[in-house]
Amino acid sequence: MNSKSTEPTKQEKDLEERFSFAWSEYREIIPLHRKQFLGWITPLPLEFFRGKSFLDAGCGIGRNSRWPLEAGALAGCAFDCSEATAAVARHNLAPFSNCRVEINSIYDLRAQGEYDVVFSIGVIHHLKHPRRAVERLVAALKPGGTLILWVYAYEGNERYLRWVDPIRRWITSRISPSLTRALAKLLTVLLKAYVSLPHRQEYLVLLRERAFRHVEAMVFDQLLPSISNYWTREQVLALVAGRPVRVTQMTHTHGVAWTLIAEKTRDS
Ligand SMILES: C[S@@+](CC[C@H](N)C(=O)[O-])C[C@H]1O[C@@H](n2cnc3c(N)ncnc32)[C@H](O)[C@@H]1O
């Protein structure tokens, strides 16, 4: 972080530390993460990455880089602003000599026209300056390259935002991460009981099928951050407006998130 304008604020520093705590608790990559990644990049198949270079922005434990590498990606770069988190990703991605893991902030990304695919999963909605971050991600893409962003949706989360998200805003993003984790455990017990009832909503059915520890990690991840934006379709499209990209796909993923896929224009 070298320029004054990109110096993280106290809130961003806090966010980094909280995620770093979460990833030190849930550091293992499990087979379910593959299925999850496929949902997040929907409708692209893993074969899409074959022979391509990619950038994984805000990589966490590196779980989203693993599947493109296994599918035959040419080379990968995964980075995270947290040193401790990047260390976990480095360990997890060690078997892949064609992937490097770096400590960097999206705001400080200097890559220009380097990658065939740039993806950022579950990161942009936690940032104070998401448009600035998207600008850096687009710059890192080769002309004709593909941008993939996965962010929380407003649509489909209205009830959650009304009844549950205030707990994050007013309590769990302000107390110690270990206390938040204890609360996450308790809430997961309640959530697991709730989703075991008959439901038609796709996401609730999905949660019913998932192991307790996995749901607990997700609940914890929802409760921790001090910044969490839930954007409408228009707000997500506005993130890339004015950038040299053409949106090719917008998917309302599992009815609770948006996956934006865009192609960088060739004359940029
Ligand atoms: C919810 S996690 C998602 C991690 C990963 N993309 C995944 O899906 O497993 C958000 C990650 O973004 C990282 N992060 C937050 N702000 C960042 C920034 N400015 N630059 C790079 N990474 C950032 C955090 O450290 C954290 O690991």
Side-chain angles (χ1 to χ4, degrees):
M1 317 215 177
N2 30 29
S3 85
K4 205 164 180 229
S5 60
T6 56
E7 206 52 47
T9 61
K10 191 172 171 296
Q11 195 182 29
E12 287 174 314
K13 213 59 209 144
D14 177 66
L15 189 88
E16 177 190 322
E17 278 163 22
R18 297 176 84 77
F19 274 128
S20 161
F21 179 91
W23 292 133
S24 66
E25 294 286 312
Y26 303 99
R27 54 200 305 132
E28 70 282 4
I29 298 180
I30 55 172
L32 182 67
H33 290 153
R34 182 180 184 275
K35 196 172 165 197
Q36 216 171 23
F37 181 63
L38 274 167
W40 291 334
I41 63 166
T42 207
L44 298 175
L46 284 175
E47 293 69 45
F48 174 77
F49 289 91
R50 194 169 296 147
K52 292 180 177 154
S53 58
F54 72 82
L55 181 70
D56 176 357
C59 65
I61 60 171
R63 57 185 179 175
N64 299 323
S65 287
R66 175 163 160 186
W67 319 114
L69 289 163
E70 277 189 3
L74 181 69
C77 174
F79 73 91
D80 200 282
C81 64
S82 153
E83 200 176 330
T85 303
V88 178
R90 197 165 289 127
H91 169 82
N92 282 337
L93 297 173
F96 303 96
S97 57
N98 55 343
C99 183
R100 61 181 201 279
V101 177
E102 295 179 351
I103 305 159
N104 200 2
S105 166
I106 294 187
Y107 300 130
D108 295 333
L109 202 55
R110 293 288 169 259
Q112 293 283 342
E114 260 181 53
Y115 299 94
D116 295 310
V117 187
V118 169
F119 62 83
S120 191
I121 308 288
V123 181
I124 303 295
H125 49 225
H126 295 305
L127 299 181
K128 211 163 175 166
H129 306 289
R131 260 184 67 83
R132 209 190 286 171
V134 170
E135 182 185 358
R136 303 304 332 139
L137 297 180
V138 172
L141 266 179
K142 286 180 186 170
T146 305
L147 174 72
I148 308 171
L149 299 178
W150 181 90
V151 293
Y152 297 153
Y154 173 79
E155 300 89 337
N157 280 311
E158 294 87 344
R159 272 199 295 174
Y160 172 83
L161 285 169
R162 186 171 183 155
W163 300 110
V164 187
D165 197 52
I167 301 177
R168 173 193 66 80
R169 240 177 305 137
W170 298 109
I171 306 171
T172 54
S173 67
R174 295 163 187 250
I175 59 178
S176 78
S178 41
L179 209 54
T180 301
R181 184 161 183 245
L183 266 171
K185 239 185 220 315
L186 183 70
L187 284 175
T188 308
V189 172
L190 298 176
L191 180 62
K192 276 301 235 180
Y194 178 65
V195 297
S196 68
L197 303 170
H199 289 289
R200 259 185 285 167
Q201 205 201 340
E202 186 192 349
Y203 194 61
L204 297 180
V205 174
L206 211 120
L207 289 182
R208 185 193 305 155
E209 292 161 2
R210 297 205 166 157
F212 186 91
R213 181 170 161 81
H214 184 77
V215 177
E216 179 192 289
M218 285 166 61
V219 171
F220 187 42
D221 184 74
Q222 294 278 319
L223 294 177
L224 266 185
S226 39
I227 309 173
S228 276
N229 289 298
Y230 289 75
W231 286 315
T232 61
R233 187 178 197 279
E234 284 63 38
Q235 285 173 316
V236 178
L237 288 170
L239 291 174
V240 294
R243 302 285 168 236
V245 291
R246 185 177 64 87
V247 176
T248 53
Q249 189 95 30
M250 274 291 273
T251 308
H252 195 203
T253 327
H254 305 310
V256 291
W258 288 110
T259 300
L260 175 147
I261 301 182
E263 188 186 304
K264 186 164 178 181
T265 50
R266 288 186 187 274
D267 50 2
S268 53

